[in-house]
Amino acid sequence: QVQLVESGGGLVQAGGSLRLSCAASGSIFSTNFMGWYRQAPGKQRELVAGILSGGSTNYADSVKGRFTISRDNAKNTVYLQMNSLKPEDTAVYYCHFVHGIPPRGSWGQGTQVTVSS
């Protein structure tokens, strides 16, 4: 069974930075996709950033130029560097992996990010 454990959330002032980490444990292989999603109160969960096994990345328009996603395949870990944070970035952030053959998805438990104005 695969477990994803997130860390790095917290409270920060607008303009500040945070770095989220998500590490997988258990029997995991062929991790094709690693991503970060977020969900603010009263809103749907949305994709923030994703990275494929080959290194290709994509970002939500709202975070382009401010957030950077990266992965360490040897550690089965994905990171999200968040700079120039804004109050509208406040949400619970979840990591999501697509892995295995056939592919299946796993989710982390979520980590709260709060940006004060």
Side-chain angles (χ1 to χ4, degrees):
Q1 187 173 355
V2 174
Q3 286 190 321
L4 305 183
V5 179
E6 298 131 338
S7 60
L11 173 64
V12 65
Q13 288 188 330
S17 298
L18 284 173
R19 187 188 193 216
L20 305 182
S21 300
C22 174
S25 62
S27 179
I28 185 169
F29 64 97
S30 295
T31 305
N32 299 314
F33 172 85
M34 296 180 177
W36 289 96
Y37 291 71
R38 67 186 180 187
Q39 188 167 19
K43 295 188 177 181
Q44 288 188 329
R45 191 173 297 189
E46 62 174 355
L47 176 66
V48 176
I51 183 167
L52 298 178
S53 57
S56 299
T57 60
N58 67 297
Y59 296 91
D61 288 343
S62 59
V63 306
K64 283 180 180 177
R66 300 189 297 122
F67 291 10
T68 303
I69 189 170
S70 61
R71 61 188 285 171
D72 184 332
N73 292 329
K75 295 182 179 180
N76 283 316
T77 299
V78 64
Y79 306 96
L80 186 68
Q81 178 66 44
M82 305 185 293
N83 299 327
S84 302
L85 282 160
K86 303 176 181 180
E88 51 263 44
D89 294 318
T90 296
V92 178
Y93 284 69
Y94 299 89
C95 62
H96 177 57
F97 285 16
V98 176
H99 56 90
I101 300 172
R104 64 186 180 94
S106 297
W107 289 91
Q109 81 285 355
T111 185
Q112 178 70 45
V113 171
T114 303
V115 184
S116 63
S117 57

